[in-house]
Amino acid sequence: MTVTRGLTTDSGLGTSPLGLLRGPVDLALDALKCQCADVPVPGREETMSDDRRLAVLRAIVEDFVATREPVGSRALVERHGLGVSPATIRNDMAVLEDQGYIAQPHTSAGRIPTDKGYRLFVDRLTAVRQLTAAERRAITAFLDGAVGLDEVLDRTGRLLSQITRQTAVVQYPAASLASVRHIELVPVGEHRVLVVLIASSGRVEQRIVELAADISASSVDEAEALTVERLGEWRARINVTVENRRLADAATALRRLLEEVRPTPAEHTLVRSVADLLREEREERIVVAGTSHLVRRGVEFITELGGVLDALEEQVVLLRLLHDMAEEDSEVAVRIGHENAHDSLSHATIVSSGYSTGGQVAARLGVVGPTRMDYPTTMAAVRAVARYVTRVLEKGSTAT
């Protein structure tokens, strides 16, 4: 027991035995507790405000994407259960505008998202929307019937454009990353051989090689002729030498092979032609589908639609951009408005994802559209189609 100013108290509870008499120290402590109850915990109120403002921004983005109309505080209260008054919403919108996430296009209008606002919206997406079972079945049915790389990528572009209602871009696999899957040699005449190159990317290339000597079942002059049997032997030897090598490395290996063996002139011409085909420079290409979607939404590009169309036609800008996006550490990369280095795309958004063949990322596909875009749905579609393209190309690789 302790004595405080003549009052007997319990040292454990700090109260008098009667529970009624209280000293100045007790009263002071109680007053301090009351004051502390009214003081916000550091960071808690700020966190709640940030979360609410993020919810306000998300609502503005969703409404503006759906209606193309500036969004006001009253509309936000009516359409979204934000749980606060219109005055609070207006204050939050003022803060978001000061921070550059939204803007007011006209004095009497509501607010619209800026590039910075769209970026925060995309970065804070908790999950990309999953495609429905019907959408997945449609993708599978559309792509499974494709034969060869050209048809697969052509169908991919048309499919992606239809799903997203945006302009689709599909990059061909980079030849520098491709390896040799198989070389086929087919006699097509007395002096000609058809060389067929099948790359790991799914690309198939053909070349006719003219020989000075005849191709026959047998020949009296073995030094000059290329018999069918010898052609089969060279087919096997070439494939052992080049299979699974990068194209340039395979060409080097064939030239080294010519130095190690003593082929006939006809055989030398044939092997050298195969090496030249492997070393040949290949221009990077992009499939573009659904350009009409851009034209229909041209008003959203202000004066930049012509520049966007030029970028799609020239392809160099898009190729450079897709290469840059490949460096990002995310399955789906998004470049919004002024994040695009090229001025012609400063009012456009590009959403892309990589697809694989031969066990490695080969190229990218995606869509180009205005910044006012349904980002969750578009990102889901791009990711899903990239995965399906990978599956189709890998299946073809296994079947070959």
Side-chain angles (χ1 to χ4, degrees):
M1 302 288 290
T2 59
V3 177
T4 304
R5 292 187 179 272
L7 294 178
T8 303
T9 62
D10 187 309
S11 60
L13 299 176
T15 57
S16 68
L18 298 178
L20 297 175
L21 300 177
R22 303 175 63 80
V25 173
D26 299 302
L27 295 176
L29 289 172
D30 286 348
L32 181 60
K33 290 178 183 178
C34 292
Q35 292 173 12
C36 290
D38 294 333
V39 175
V41 176
R44 180 182 299 172
E45 184 177 354
E46 182 179 350
T47 300
M48 292 176 62
S49 297
D50 288 345
D51 291 343
R52 188 181 65 245
R53 286 167 190 154
L54 181 61
V56 170
L57 175 63
R58 185 181 297 114
I60 292 173
V61 170
E62 291 172 354
D63 281 8
F64 182 64
V65 168
T67 67
R68 211 177 75 183
E69 296 292 335
V71 183
S73 58
R74 180 176 300 177
L76 292 177
V77 172
E78 293 174 353
R79 296 173 188 165
H80 303 271
L82 298 174
V84 292
S85 68
T88 301
I89 297 297
R90 284 193 293 273
N91 290 335
D92 288 339
M93 292 174 70
V95 173
L96 290 170
E97 186 172 6
D98 289 341
Q99 294 175 341
Y101 294 109
I102 59 176
Q104 188 175 27
H106 308 291
T107 305
S108 58
R111 305 300 192 276
I112 63 174
T114 62
D115 292 350
K116 184 178 178 181
Y118 282 126
R119 167 51 59 194
L120 182 60
F121 174 81
V122 169
D123 289 346
R124 294 298 183 91
L125 284 175
T126 55
V128 176
R129 185 183 74 84
Q130 299 296 316
L131 296 186
T132 65
E135 289 171 328
R136 292 195 297 271
R137 285 194 300 269
I139 293 174
T140 302
F142 196 79
L143 292 181
D144 277 352
V147 178
L149 180 66
D150 290 338
E151 188 176 358
V152 169
L153 300 189
D154 180 69
R155 288 194 180 198
T156 298
R158 288 186 284 132
L159 172 68
L160 192 54
S161 177
Q162 291 171 10
I163 293 176
T164 62
R165 299 181 183 275
Q166 309 283 358
T167 297
V169 293
V170 184
Q171 181 185 15
Y172 266 77
S176 60
L177 298 177
S179 57
V180 179
R181 187 182 298 165
H182 186 70
I183 298 287
E184 189 58 53
L185 305 177
V186 183
V188 291
E190 292 183 353
H191 302 280
R192 297 194 300 175
V193 175
L194 173 65
V195 179
V196 182
L197 164 63
I198 305 173
S200 61
S201 61
R203 185 192 298 265
V204 178
E205 297 186 29
Q206 302 177 0
R207 172 176 292 183
I208 295 290
V209 179
E210 295 281 350
L211 302 176
D214 291 343
I215 303 173
S216 58
S218 62
S219 175
V220 175
D221 189 354
E222 293 292 340
E224 294 295 332
L226 178 61
T227 65
V228 173
E229 181 181 357
R230 288 287 290 170
L231 185 64
E233 292 174 358
W234 272 106
R235 179 193 302 116
R237 180 177 288 180
I238 287 172
N239 277 293
V240 168
T241 303
V242 303
E243 277 185 358
N244 298 320
R245 289 178 181 263
R246 294 285 178 88
L247 300 188
D249 295 339
T252 301
L254 283 184
R255 292 182 181 277
R256 190 179 303 118
L257 177 64
L258 287 175
E259 297 171 358
E260 296 171 355
V261 300
R262 299 181 62 183
T264 66
E267 293 168 349
H268 188 281
T269 298
L270 176 62
V271 177
R272 188 185 61 203
S273 297
V274 175
D276 290 343
L277 175 61
L278 292 170
R279 193 178 292 279
E280 191 174 83
E281 289 291 331
R282 292 164 176 83
E283 184 180 2
E284 291 194 71
R285 296 165 54 195
I286 290 181
V287 174
V288 179
T291 308
S292 58
H293 290 299
L294 281 177
V295 177
R296 280 196 289 269
R297 300 181 66 177
V299 66
E300 300 190 43
F301 288 98
I302 311 175
T303 60
E304 298 296 330
L305 179 58
V308 177
L309 295 176
D310 288 343
L312 291 175
E313 183 176 355
E314 295 172 3
Q315 297 196 355
V316 176
V317 174
L318 280 179
L319 283 169
R320 187 180 302 118
L321 179 60
L322 291 174
H323 282 306
D324 290 344
M325 296 176 82
E327 301 297 323
E328 297 185 19
D329 187 23
S330 59
E331 185 177 8
V332 181
V334 182
R335 291 287 181 88
I336 303 170
H338 290 85
E339 294 175 357
N340 297 306
H342 203 276
D343 290 342
S344 64
L345 298 174
S346 61
H347 293 280
T349 284
I350 295 89
V351 179
S352 74
S353 184
Y355 66 89
S356 302
T357 179
Q360 61 182 352
V361 176
R364 299 187 75 79
L365 56 81
V367 300
V368 180
T371 54
R372 189 184 72 86
M373 177 184 290
D374 182 352
Y375 288 93
T377 300
T378 301
M379 292 168 67
V382 169
R383 182 183 65 179
V385 171
R387 289 177 176 178
Y388 276 98
V389 171
T390 296
R391 192 174 306 169
V392 169
L393 293 178
E394 294 292 355
K395 185 190 301 181
S397 173
T398 304
T400 301

